[in-house]
Amino acid sequence: MKTLFALFCAAALLCSCAAREKNIPMDKYDPDTGYRFSNLKAPGDPDELFVILTFSGGGTRAAALSYGVLEKLKKTRFQWQGEERSLLDEVDVISSVSGGSFTAAYYGLFGQGIFDDFEQRFLYRNIEGELKRMLFSPATWLKLASPDYSRTDMASDFYDRQIFKRRRFSHLVDKGRRPFIMINATDMSMGSSFSFIQEKFDPICSDLGNMTLARAVTASSCFPVAFAPLTLYNYAGRCRFHPPTWVETARKDLQLNPSRFRRAQEVLSYMDAAERPYIHLLDGGVADNIGLRGPLAGIASNNPAWSILSKVNQGKVAKLVIIVVDAKTKPEVKFDKSPDPPGLVDVLTKISTIPMGNYSFDTVQTLGDTFERWEKDQRNYHGCQRVLGLNNCRNKQMPFPPPAPVELYSIYVGFDQIRDTDQRTYFQTIATSFYLPKEQINDLRSIGPRLLDQSAAFNQLIGGLPPGTRVKP
């Protein structure tokens, strides 16, 4: 009888403790505090060489590929402003999705320490197996019996204890150093990216600093069906938040600037706690599987608080480098060889991955088009200047100032760039899971650096760095 009573008490205790982590309200809106790009410093001139990395989704496959790219950037050494540095030291922003968010968050928290223990804590670990074993634990069953606890909360708790050492965003604020880590999930209602940065939490009057990095990474990797959406509480109206001035103007820009209009609508929707008391977040890959949309907004607009366009126009950026690390696969399709219609699993898999792939392709193309337009503007301006000079038009001047001189480097790291057909097929068919054989992880770590070596844009970047640039073996 005593044993049964003890078991009952233990069960009741577990159920009462089984509560999800909640984002907390913010008493007063302050645009100068919290996890913002403007609050992170970099040594020397932080903007002259501005480097952005984006890490795609794809489970351990994506984490390993992005980790290999970090290793390559660490080994690329050069002299900059009188001291030897690495390209990794120059990274200012990392925008990530799903599997890539594990690498991004870990590097953001621990910097060079990622090369000491990330392999043991995550890469070579059977995370998927450990989560499955937790599901078969009676203690977990009792927790899951609570309406305030789900498999998503279970995963978040596990990542918090076992991978991210219980660190919160306040640790990134206290660290005060770049890179600025943008962990991206998908707003289920808006279908748009939701970044775990204070700028996104301001409209819902919530303090991001108290949230664990594990919670953000869990939201970023909440693949539909397998995991429940992660929920944020909306406290809008409690902190006297005032939207930026551009939001009101953008409300009238549907025809003139649709993307700006869309971003304004997102801000306004978060400010309406009565209509949206909760924000439900899914895997970031649903909205943007390569994490490039946020940086694109910063490149094309002055509106984001961390606008890169503003820095370029002010002449602060001499070289702008964007490295897209895309672990997109192309698994073998067998149902096209049969007259029978595909089954439910095949249909669900394809409708959840094909739009991601197509959208990612369009996003990379948009980046290329943006850089090409900038370069064309520079050529046209200087071409017009030469015409005025040749015609000896001494009293004639260009009616507007020249575009800011900036060197642009768009670098793409993806399996479809592997030249050998068999090798390309091998990488494109690696499973999307949170466990891979050690050999596959090693292959993924090595293919990223090789793809960088064969990238014309990466080699142009290396050639444009100060003499003495080298890659350590």
Side-chain angles (χ1 to χ4, degrees):
M1 192 69 176
K2 290 182 179 179
T3 302
L4 288 174
F5 180 73
L7 287 173
F8 175 81
C9 289
L13 180 62
L14 281 171
C15 286
S16 66
C17 293
R20 64 173 60 99
E21 178 188 341
K22 288 175 60 175
N23 57 303
I24 66 171
M26 179 169 59
D27 294 330
K28 183 180 179 182
Y29 165 62
D30 184 347
D32 297 322
T33 62
Y35 189 59
R36 307 176 194 273
F37 181 82
S38 58
N39 292 331
L40 306 183
K41 307 301 180 185
D45 185 340
D47 295 329
E48 190 174 347
L49 173 58
F50 201 98
V51 181
I52 300 173
L53 308 180
T54 77
F55 294 162
S56 80
T60 298
R61 183 184 70 247
L65 180 64
S66 56
Y67 183 72
V69 168
L70 291 184
E71 291 180 301
K72 172 73 171 182
L73 298 182
K74 179 188 177 186
K75 293 176 181 178
T76 306
R77 314 289 299 183
F78 61 98
Q79 291 290 324
W80 188 261
Q81 298 178 344
E83 64 175 316
E84 183 176 281
R85 299 181 59 74
S86 74
L87 268 182
L88 185 56
D89 295 328
E90 298 300 324
V91 173
D92 295 280
V93 177
I94 303 179
S95 177
S96 65
V97 175
S98 197
S101 290
F102 285 87
T103 308
Y106 208 89
Y107 180 67
L109 280 170
F110 306 113
Q112 299 281 338
I114 192 173
F115 303 112
D116 298 330
D117 58 5
F118 184 65
E119 297 169 29
Q120 172 244 334
R121 279 188 170 271
F122 181 79
L123 273 190
Y124 293 103
R125 192 169 173 178
N126 189 352
I127 300 294
E128 192 166 299
E130 292 187 55
L131 288 174
K132 286 179 179 177
R133 283 194 292 275
M134 287 181 66
L135 278 174
F136 287 99
S137 164
T140 303
W141 296 345
L142 291 169
K143 288 184 178 181
L144 293 175
S146 167
D148 292 326
Y149 200 84
S150 68
R151 291 195 303 272
T152 300
D153 302 300
M154 179 196 76
S156 177
D157 290 345
F158 175 82
Y159 301 153
D160 190 35
R161 294 191 315 272
Q162 299 293 327
I163 301 173
F164 296 108
K165 308 177 186 180
R166 300 190 182 278
R167 298 298 198 275
R168 299 178 182 272
F169 277 90
S170 58
H171 288 92
L172 294 180
V173 176
D174 293 340
K175 184 179 178 183
R177 298 290 297 271
R178 300 184 191 177
F180 185 46
I181 306 298
M182 301 176 66
I183 299 172
N184 299 290
T186 298
D187 181 331
M188 190 173 176
S189 296
M190 300 294 290
S192 56
S193 290
F194 185 96
S195 300
F196 281 76
I197 58 178
Q198 188 57 52
E199 185 180 350
K200 275 287 191 178
F201 276 65
D202 288 339
I204 64 173
C205 287
S206 183
D207 179 14
L208 176 61
N210 198 54
M211 180 170 287
T212 62
L213 269 292
R215 197 69 174 166
V217 172
T218 302
S220 183
S221 55
C222 265
F223 196 79
V225 181
F227 292 97
L230 187 142
T231 301
L232 297 178
Y233 289 73
N234 191 346
Y235 306 106
R238 299 188 187 184
C239 65
R240 298 189 293 279
F241 168 74
H242 299 288
T245 54
W246 69 266
V247 172
E248 183 59 34
T249 306
R251 297 176 71 176
K252 308 166 187 176
D253 280 358
L254 177 57
Q255 301 301 324
L256 182 64
N257 192 334
S259 61
R260 189 168 180 252
F261 172 84
R262 174 73 174 180
R263 291 195 300 273
Q265 293 302 306
E266 292 169 17
V267 174
L268 294 170
S269 78
Y270 297 136
M271 293 175 62
D272 190 351
E275 182 65 26
R276 299 193 68 189
Y278 306 101
I279 312 297
H280 300 289
L281 303 177
L282 294 171
D283 188 298
V286 176
D288 172 18
N289 200 43
I290 53 176
L292 184 54
R293 284 283 160 173
L296 265 179
I299 290 169
S301 171
N302 291 314
N303 300 145
W306 65 286
S307 170
I308 304 161
L309 179 60
S310 296
K311 297 180 182 296
V312 170
N313 289 337
Q314 294 166 15
K316 293 182 177 180
V317 178
K319 299 176 187 291
L320 176 57
V321 183
I322 298 187
I323 303 177
V324 177
V325 184
D326 186 3
K328 177 184 65 178
T329 59
K330 189 179 179 181
E332 183 182 5
V333 175
K334 296 182 179 180
F335 51 73
D336 282 345
K337 299 177 181 179
S338 169
D340 298 327
L344 179 60
V345 173
D346 286 328
V347 172
L348 289 175
T349 300
K350 287 304 173 184
I351 64 175
S352 64
T353 57
I354 289 176
M356 290 183 191
N358 292 340
Y359 194 58
S360 297
F361 177 85
D362 290 343
T363 306
V364 173
Q365 185 62 46
T366 300
L367 173 63
D369 292 343
T370 301
F371 277 11
E372 184 178 343
R373 187 169 62 252
W374 283 14
E375 291 171 339
K376 184 178 179 180
D377 287 345
Q378 292 183 35
R379 291 194 302 269
N380 288 344
Y381 186 92
H382 294 299
C384 289
Q385 275 191 321
R386 284 194 298 272
V387 170
L388 290 176
L390 288 173
N391 292 329
N392 199 26
C393 300
R394 297 176 182 174
N395 298 323
K396 299 293 184 182
Q397 293 183 342
M398 294 292 289
F400 46 83
V406 58
E407 297 175 22
L408 305 170
Y409 302 90
S410 174
I411 302 165
Y412 179 78
V413 177
F415 302 140
D416 52 1
Q417 292 187 315
I418 299 173
R419 292 163 182 164
D420 181 82
T421 302
D422 291 338
Q423 190 181 54
R424 183 170 63 249
T425 301
Y426 163 69
F427 281 101
Q428 288 181 330
T429 53
I430 291 178
T432 300
S433 69
F434 280 110
Y435 172 69
L436 293 174
K438 185 175 182 179
E439 295 75 15
Q440 286 190 342
I441 292 174
N442 291 338
D443 290 341
L444 287 159
R445 288 175 60 184
S446 63
I447 193 62
R450 294 209 303 271
L451 289 173
L452 281 174
D453 283 336
Q454 77 174 42
S455 164
F458 184 74
N459 285 303
Q460 288 170 5
L461 170 64
I462 298 301
L465 292 174
T469 298
R470 67 193 189 283
V471 178
K472 288 187 174 182

